[in-house]
Amino acid sequence: MSKARMAWAPGRFEDLPDGSDLLCVDVLGTQFTVRWGRGVPLEQQGSMRSAWARCASTEVPLAPLPVEPTDAQPFSASVTYRSRNDDAGTFRLEAASFEELAENLTSRLTVAAILANAGVLTMLHACGVADPATGAVVALVAKSGTGKTTAVSVLARTYGYVTDETVAISRDGSVMPYPKPLSLKQGLGKAKHQLGPDELQLLPAPSKLFIRSIVLLNRVESAHPLAPELERVPLADALLALIPDSSSQAEFARPLQSLCRLIDTVGGVWQVTYSEAGGLPAALEPLFQPQPKAEPEWEAGPTDEVQSGLILDGWVRRTAAKDAVSIGSDLLVMLDNEIIRLSGIGPAIWEASASPVALVQLAEDVGRVHGTPEGYRHAVAAATEQLIQKSVLTEGGE
């Protein structure tokens, strides 16, 4: 998707008979105006207005309006958008069926809004529900296809519906709601059906929301229903689970430290293991209450600038990292969008390789930290080779 400003044909709201073919929505602060192609009947346009009603924009339609789509395929739409930071753009969608068009639209709106908020909001790939009285939000993190939509469909009959896709958290802990249509599976190979939260009779969330708890969803198959079980997740394991399901977290200046601070504010990360979603409302009830705060378990790891220049053959240097945190005896390092867990002698190798170092000297440096039992040089060499393969270390002579 291009975020550059593109040439649009002139369009005015008054050029449309009654504006009925426009859908205007606000997704995490980005304003979208959708104009349907002529192949989309009024009934289906109306169904999308109902499905997106809780995201309806209070702003006037963006000018210039989207141009009327050309129907190369039976169903089409043209979209303009503008974010809070004034990024703007346009894109078109075409599909063989209305269901496919509606699913593609939901996906593109979500992606555009996430890109607009990269490095500004922590965006967990999660469903979210809120206490109707306090606005406390529980975010339930899971990968696509692992039960988020089913879980939120059940939970939001007791708690307010925040989102089934992205829990967006500001630095002060406030949550921006994204009460989008729920994407319901229709069968293998079929597009997901977009059904609005009002049609599913999901409770609305309060206007002011804040993050209270973060939970990993762990749905298991069982011949007999299992009562949901809550357990705390160790911090290192929580980071390893959350980073792949945190959209654009790498855009923060210190992505791991930022996420650690968020985890500290909610008193740690939980996991709920369950087989049927029906038991989740009661099981999660304690997590809407304030959680005991503990002393931080982490420290900022060494991420000083590595020396540039040639690395001699037989020498190594650690790769430049976006962030690193020490948790107990482990060191978690973030390289681009990947997080690597260094245990055992791994942290000592990382510490010793800020500047190019010969393998013989590296073994000596590690030995001063961990001792020099028989075979330790071989162990350091083997660990170094593994870290080179994982791109944690850069090898000279290449």
Side-chain angles (χ1 to χ4, degrees):
M1 178 193 311
S2 172
K3 298 179 74 174
R5 297 181 184 273
M6 302 178 68
W8 297 324
R12 298 174 304 169
F13 189 68
E14 55 266 29
D15 291 337
L16 303 170
D18 56 10
S20 62
D21 68 343
L22 293 182
L23 173 67
C24 301
V25 296
D26 181 328
V27 179
L28 302 178
T30 296
Q31 303 292 320
F32 294 90
T33 302
V34 181
R35 185 172 184 178
W36 304 107
R38 296 187 180 184
V40 180
L42 290 177
E43 179 181 357
Q44 291 173 322
Q45 294 178 28
S47 73
M48 290 301 285
R49 276 196 298 275
S50 296
W52 285 93
R54 293 195 191 179
C55 295
S57 175
T58 58
E59 304 290 332
V60 297
L62 293 175
L65 295 175
V67 297
E68 183 175 348
T70 55
D71 295 345
Q73 291 199 59
F75 297 88
S76 60
S78 181
V79 183
T80 58
Y81 67 91
R82 186 180 302 278
S83 68
R84 288 179 298 176
N85 60 13
D86 251 4
D87 280 344
T90 184
F91 59 87
R92 297 186 185 184
L93 298 172
E94 297 179 354
S97 69
F98 174 73
E99 290 74 16
E100 181 185 354
L101 177 67
E103 181 181 7
N104 291 345
L105 177 67
T106 298
S107 177
R108 290 293 294 273
L109 298 189
T110 300
V111 169
I114 285 174
L115 291 175
N117 287 290
V120 177
L121 300 174
T122 296
M123 294 172 284
L124 302 177
H125 189 211
C127 62
V129 289
D131 185 317
T134 67
V137 173
V138 172
L140 299 117
V141 181
K143 299 186 182 300
S144 296
T146 58
K148 290 198 317 298
T149 299
T150 300
V152 80
S153 298
V154 172
L155 285 162
R157 288 181 170 84
T158 301
Y159 306 104
Y161 174 64
V162 176
T163 185
D164 79 331
E165 177 65 31
T166 302
V167 175
I169 307 166
S170 301
R171 286 183 171 87
D172 63 0
S174 59
V175 172
M176 291 189 67
Y178 180 24
K180 59 178 282 294
L182 285 77
S183 300
L184 305 179
K185 293 181 180 178
Q186 299 298 300
L188 187 63
K190 294 184 179 179
K192 293 181 179 178
H193 183 47
Q194 309 302 302
L195 199 60
D198 291 329
E199 297 171 86
L200 291 170
Q201 299 181 326
L202 304 187
L203 297 178
S207 57
K208 293 185 178 181
L209 303 171
F210 63 95
I211 189 66
R212 174 73 85 195
S213 297
I214 298 173
V215 184
L216 305 179
L217 280 180
N218 180 32
R219 183 169 62 90
V220 297
E221 298 292 338
S222 176
H224 305 285
L226 299 176
E229 181 179 347
L230 276 174
E231 60 181 337
R232 285 191 177 274
V233 180
L235 178 58
D237 294 339
L239 289 171
L240 288 167
L242 289 175
I243 285 291
D245 287 314
S246 301
S247 301
S248 303
Q249 184 68 18
E251 298 301 317
F252 281 92
R254 290 288 182 262
L256 292 180
Q257 295 178 47
S258 173
L259 196 53
C260 282
R261 283 189 287 270
L262 172 61
I263 291 171
D264 286 344
T265 65
V266 298
V269 172
W270 295 81
Q271 177 173 278
V272 60
T273 300
Y274 69 104
S275 59
E276 301 292 339
L280 290 177
L284 297 178
E285 183 178 1
L287 300 188
F288 290 91
Q289 305 304 316
Q291 302 300 309
K293 300 297 189 293
E295 289 297 318
E297 303 176 45
W298 61 279
E299 295 180 352
T303 55
D304 48 296
E305 292 292 331
V306 299
Q307 296 181 8
S308 60
L310 181 68
I311 306 174
L312 298 176
D313 190 17
W315 292 44
V316 295
R317 181 185 63 207
R318 74 185 187 211
T319 304
K322 290 194 171 184
D323 201 4
V325 293
S326 295
I327 303 172
S329 61
D330 290 351
L331 179 69
L332 272 62
V333 178
M334 190 167 188
L335 310 172
D336 295 326
N337 291 314
E338 185 180 10
I339 181 171
I340 306 293
R341 184 176 192 167
L342 303 182
S343 302
I345 62 175
I349 293 175
W350 176 265
E351 289 271 8
S353 59
S355 57
V357 59
L359 295 180
V360 172
Q361 182 61 49
L362 182 62
E364 294 292 333
D365 293 341
V366 173
R368 282 193 290 270
V369 177
H370 288 277
T372 57
E374 184 178 352
Y376 88 95
R377 291 182 181 276
H378 175 74
V380 172
T384 300
E385 182 59 33
Q386 289 180 355
L387 295 179
I388 291 171
Q389 295 301 317
K390 292 182 177 180
S391 300
V392 175
L393 298 178
T394 300
E395 186 177 23
E398 295 181 349

